Amino acid sequence: MTRKISEVLQEIYQRLFEFFGPQNWWPAETPFEVCVGAILTQNAAWKNVEKAISNLKQKGLLSPPALYQLPVEKLAELIKPSGFYNLKAKRLKSFVEFLMLNYQGNLDLMFKKPISHLRAELLNIKGLGKETIDSILLYGGNLPVFVVDAYTYRILNRHFLVPEETTYDEIQALFMENLPPDPQLFNEYHALLVACGKSFCKKNSPLCDPCPLKGL
DNA sequence: TTCCAGCATA
DNA sequence: TATGCGGGAA
């Protein structure tokens, strides 16, 4: 008797929530801070991103107009702790330019666009990939988009729920077609998968025995 | 020395 | 498909 995917996904969520509790994502004061954090945290530890964001905050630069004016070299210097700083400075500038030129720097306006249109628009910005964009949509815009990341893939794959070659879109569809389209649920679910990935489902030496998903 | 809330390029 | 990008923490 093979269980329905939706039941398995619900059980994963329940187990993780009972073990870890609410994760309170995304740690940011404003939607714009979510966007900046989403770009800065690309393949970087969040602790280091916090330092970079703190630098921007201290200088009063954490707004679309301020970053729009700031030279990319200055920006790179300030976000150094988050790593890949020259690259990420360009990416931040690209996003802010997009936001200023198309939405007058107004994120509320941007998030009013139909999700599929907006997602396609954002995908055209160099340096914004699917995970970054979906994080912005879900955590910045409170839109019902499921965020997939390396932890999500690893956890599903190790439990034989998806094969090796599964794509981002396929994993995203798996969640979105088998769960109610609830932003709060998607918010908590992704955050819990990250928590599980960091604590147990590690890249090289996974701790399967004490993992809350053991025996799934 | 590894690894991190990825992405673009060749 | 592999590689560059990179500082900071474990």
Side-chain angles (χ1 to χ4, degrees), chain A residues 8 15 17 21 30 36 55 57 60 62 74 83 88 100 109 119 148 152 155-156 169-171 173 190 199:
Chain A
V8 178
R15 287 198 193 196
F17 189 83
T30 65
V36 172
N55 288 344
K57 269 190 189 171
L62 203 51
K74 300 270 186 191
K88 287 176 181 175
M100 292 296 286
L109 194 58
R119 195 168 184 269
V148 175
T152 313
I155 290 169
L156 291 185
D169 292 328
E170 288 168 345
I171 295 182
H190 171 69
S199 303

Side-chain angles (χ1 to χ4, degrees), chain A residues 185-205:
Chain A
L185 172 64
F186 289 178
N187 176 322
E188 199 64 51
Y189 205 146
H190 171 69
L192 286 167
L193 287 170
V194 172
C196 183
K198 283 161 81 161
S199 303
F200 300 103
C201 208
K202 305 173 185 219
K203 194 170 185 181
N204 280 338
S205 49

